[in-house]
Amino acid sequence: MSDIKTGINPLFLREEELRQGIELLFFAYRDFTAEPDAILGEYGFGRAHHRVIYFVGRHPGITVSDLLDILRITKQSLSRVLGQLVTEKFITQRPGLRDRRQRLLELTEKGVELERLLTERQRARIARTYREAGAEAVEGFRKVMLGLVDEADRGRFPTRAAGPRRGG
Amino acid sequence: MSDIKTGINPLFLREEELRQGIELLFFAYRDFTAEPDAILGEYGFGRAHHRVIYFVGRHPGITVSDLLDILRITKQSLSRVLGQLVTEKFITQRPGLRDRRQRLLELTEKGVELERLLTERQRARIARTYREAGAEAVEGFRKVMLGLVDEADRGRFPTRAAGPRRGG
DNA sequence: GTGGTTAAGTCAGTCATGTTGACATATATG
DNA sequence: CATATATGTCAACATGACTGACTTAACCAC
């Protein structure tokens, strides 16, 4: 009631601010995934394939268990997409050295190409946005996004605090 | 090659930065949706129901067309979830005044309750994160997220600096 | 080395949510 | 009146998630 003059209730402002946060996540994610989704369609793949290709590319030699931990889906769900990707030679499996029960996953040449094709759009979108928003905004973006991630997984994002910020 | 001393290639740094951006979106969205999803399960609903409830709650009296524009799904897809929500009395429909072909959507009391229950978790997560990250980081977050959204939809996020954009 | 645990895979069935395509109805508009 | 628009519906299908039960191979502890 202290805002009668401006007509803006600070509680409403907070509510509005939080809702905008929710919606930013919805719209950004919607648009962020739309481009790769369209490309995936041409291959008869879906978003699940992209995720698998992405994280195998990101962590060459990753185990199935670790991939399941990231994706938070069941092994039966993963099995289908992974099976396709292996059959169609986008991903190879080889037994682990220390533990031969493991099937270490890696992208083939073909897999690397597809990964690049798919992720390229997303990288470009982020690069453009980062450039337009500026370093300070990017820092804030990272901070908030990291705070939204479950604590257990925040360790996946090492801070590069020590090194040179942007040499090029 | 100017980074031989540190062993850090600036191009690699950039690549790493962009990939972290991609992954922040993945992990944040994954964890942001997990809590409501669990609650929805108890009602026999899914994430699609949440989206409908959310945006109808956000824009009382919204038309089906406008809702479709937001969700970017087909009317057949929407029809199923919307039909359920109307049947189970979470949402009401009434004909438009100017255009009686329209079915203006609104949450019922029951719908408002469920919306609150679902979104409460997400608001809490964002509120906590905003608090921990600080106002400056939040500003950066908003700036970058908005940049990731397709230009066509950026107008949905009025800056509260320049006065009321859409009269509500 | 036997036995329990773990990593991974498989088979089968189900559900939620998206798609296309064709068609129906009511209302608006030129 | 003719056409376009807003909405809804029926049908068929694909994707990606789920549960539950079971198998195989390898690891590990006793």
Side-chain angles (χ1 to χ4, degrees), chain B residues 65 75-76 93 101-103:
Chain B
S65 301
K75 63 177 174 177
Q76 294 93 326
Q93 300 170 307
R101 289 172 304 179
Q102 296 176 336
R103 306 273 186 101

Side-chain angles (χ1 to χ4, degrees), chain A residues 63-82:
Chain A
T63 65
V64 172
S65 302
D66 287 348
L67 190 50
L68 287 174
D69 283 343
I70 289 176
L71 299 177
R72 296 242 182 110
I73 59 175
T74 60
K75 63 178 173 177
Q76 294 93 325
S77 294
L78 174 58
S79 173
R80 193 173 1 183
V81 285
L82 183 55

